[in-house]
Structures are given as structure tokens and as C-alpha cells.
Amino acid sequence: MFSYHEQLTLRLAAGLGEVDEATRTRHSRFLLGKQQPDGGFAGREGASDLYYTSFGLRSLAILGELHGSVAERAAAFLKTRLAGHESVVDFMSLIYSAKLLETAAGIDIFADASADWRRSVADTLNALRRDDGGYAKGPEGMASSTYHTFLVLLCLQLIQQPIQQPESMVTFLLSQESDEGGFREIRASKRAGTNPTAAAIGALRILDSLTEEIIDGTLDFLVDMQNDEGGLRANTRIPIADVLSTFTGMLTLTDLEGLDEIDQNDALTYVRSLEQDNGGFFGAAWDEVADVEYTFYGLGSLALLHVPSHFTLD
């Protein structure tokens, strides 16, 4: 069985395969130019880090460009971070980047790691479990996070470690659902958001705990997030669409077989409006710089709008 992330990578690669070659070439060149001398990828400022390296490698993987010296240099960077003490987000970025390199280029950065490294990673992640069944953002965190609970679940799935008490995780996720539809990031949040909703639905899918009632409420919520720009907003208080929310919202709609409930032509027009002539994507209409993170969301959005109808993972 493919993991959630492996399925997503294959789906997005299939969608981008339907996009014109000029577009794929333009963004491939942009991304290849963003790889740093140490083999990693950086944000808009600063040095290479695991978070942005993950987005650089994910983008190259779905474009079919993660191989050869590009992959070897990325592996060298990742190996320098194996002994570090990382956040949940960086842990996930490291594990997923390693999985991409193994799948796309046959490089195993954990080849020399101890035999029980997977269990050690799982123990570190499970230390973030809280009494409500969710996972906190860090060791000092008291409140469980919908997004970080999803990240931990993805990471445990990638390293093939068991999910402890999955039923309590489901209980936490369901407690995050808003009466108006959608899901909150933390219990104290006043309203649901597109991105925590995507995280909650992704986790509930993995845990085989979606119900028709949840699906209906989520579809209604996400359809309302599309605005006149054509993209999706982060929540009801934010008037401007962004490509992150557009991607995660459309991914969730696709998973729930509801993508046709939004105007896909308007969504495509919006995503294309953020695309830059020299490659890369802006994050939203207010943006002025293309980076590897938003470029992944832009490419992912294009892919979701072009996935061939006959595509299947069976």
C-alpha cells in the first residue's frame, strides 16, 4: 500500500504530465536554480533548511527532475541534519525528503543509521501526544494542533510505525470540527480554516473515520472559501485568496470527490495569474517574490486541475 504522501506525489506527477511542456520546463529551471551550493533549498532569506528543502524536492519530484547530481547533492545536505534536534515540521520534512530520494533516485540517506532509528523517531514524536488524543507543536506545547497531529500521522506512516490509540486521535480530530463546517487548528480557535480542514480530512481518511455528515459539512465550507478571484481563502475573515489555501482546499475537495462543486476554470485562471514568466509562483496577489514553497502549491494546484480522468493507483 502506498502512504498518503506517496499517493499524493504520484497523483500530482500524473496531473503535471498533462500540463504543457513549456510550463514544466520553466518551473523546472526555476527550481533547479534555487538549489543551494550545499544541496539544500532556502526560503526568501537565510541558509538552506529542511522545510524549504522538502518543498524543493517535492516540486522536482512531481516534475520528474529529482535524479542525478540534483538528488545526490540534496542527499548530502540531508545527511548533515540527521543528528540534529528538529521540530515536528522539520522532522516531517527530513523523513519525507528522504523517502522522495529513495523512491526517485534510489538514495537511502539512512543506510548507515542504527537499526532502531524508526522506533527512536516514533518515540520522539509520540512524546508530543496529549491527553485529548492529539499532538502538540513541540515538547513545551500544552494544546494539541490539528495540523501537527496530521504531520505526526504522516511521519509515522512513512516510517512504518504503528499509530498508538488511533481511536483517541479520531476523537481529538472530531472535537476540532466547527458547527459551521470545516475544522479548527486548535481548540481555542474561533473559526475553521481551509488548511486545518485539509489536515483533519487527510488524517481522518488515513484513519478510515470519515462520515457522510463530515463530508457534507466540509464540502459546504470549502465551496464557500472560493472568492471572486477564483482561488480559495484561508478562512472567512480573510478576503484575499492564496495559493496555499487554493491547493489544500482543492486537494481536499478532490479527496472528497467534490472538486466539481467549485468553478475550476476560475481556479485555474487564479493559479495561472500567480505564475511568473521566469518560473515560480507568487503566494497571492499581494506577493512580490516567488519561492520554492509557493511554487510547490502552484504546481500542485495545476496538477489537481489536470489529473487525467483515467488515473488510478490500483
Side-chain angles (χ1 to χ4, degrees), residues 146 150 173 176 183-184 195-205 210:
T146 300
F150 178 51
L173 292 167
Q176 298 296 89
F183 290 77
R184 297 180 292 267
N195 300 311
T197 296
I201 294 300
L204 290 170
R205 284 187 70 231
L210 282 177

Side-chain angles (χ1 to χ4, degrees), residues 148-209:
H148 283 75
T149 298
F150 178 51
L151 287 186
V152 170
L153 181 58
L154 291 180
C155 196
L156 292 174
Q157 189 182 47
L158 279 172
I159 61 175
Q160 300 177 322
Q161 292 295 295
I163 310 301
Q164 297 182 2
Q165 299 179 319
E167 66 283 351
S168 65
M169 188 183 293
V170 171
T171 298
F172 164 71
L173 292 167
L174 295 179
S175 74
Q176 298 296 89
E177 188 175 16
S178 169
D179 291 340
E180 291 75 33
F183 290 77
R184 297 180 292 267
E185 164 58 7
I186 59 174
R187 193 180 302 276
S189 299
K190 297 183 183 300
R191 58 185 51 82
T194 301
N195 300 311
T197 296
I201 294 300
L204 290 170
R205 284 187 70 231
I206 293 171
L207 297 168
D208 195 25
S209 296

Side-chain angles (χ1 to χ4, degrees), residues 38-41 48-50 53 73-81:
D38 62 6
F41 290 78
S48 298
D49 63 32
L50 290 171
T53 296
R73 291 165 58 203
F77 169 74
L78 294 178
K79 288 177 181 178
T80 68
R81 305 300 294 269

Side-chain angles (χ1 to χ4, degrees), residues 1 16 49 60 81 178 211 257 273 300:
M1 291 291 292
L16 281 183
D49 63 32
L60 289 171
R81 305 300 294 269
S178 169
T211 65
E257 300 182 355
S273 75

Side-chain angles (χ1 to χ4, degrees), residues 1-3 5-6 9 57 61 66 78 92-110 117-118 154 157-160:
M1 291 291 292
F2 292 110
S3 70
H5 258 312
E6 288 170 319
T9 300
L57 298 184
L66 186 56
L78 294 178
M92 180 64 208
S93 299
L94 174 62
I95 297 298
Y96 187 50
S97 294
K99 189 68 175 180
L100 283 174
L101 288 176
E102 181 180 358
T103 303
I107 300 174
D108 182 5
I109 69 166
F110 293 109
W117 72 267
R118 289 179 175 82
L154 291 180
Q157 189 182 47
L158 279 172
I159 61 175
Q160 300 177 322

Side-chain angles (χ1 to χ4, degrees), residues 21 30 37 39 45 68-69 91 105-106 127 161 163 166 168 178 191 205-206 226 234 261 265 277 279-280 287 292 297:
E21 183 177 355
F30 169 83
E45 58 184 23
S69 63
F91 241 149
Q161 292 295 295
I163 310 301
S168 65
S178 169
R191 58 185 51 82
R205 284 187 70 231
I206 293 171
Q226 188 174 32
E261 295 195 23
N265 288 329
D277 292 341
D287 206 356
V292 294
Y297 299 136

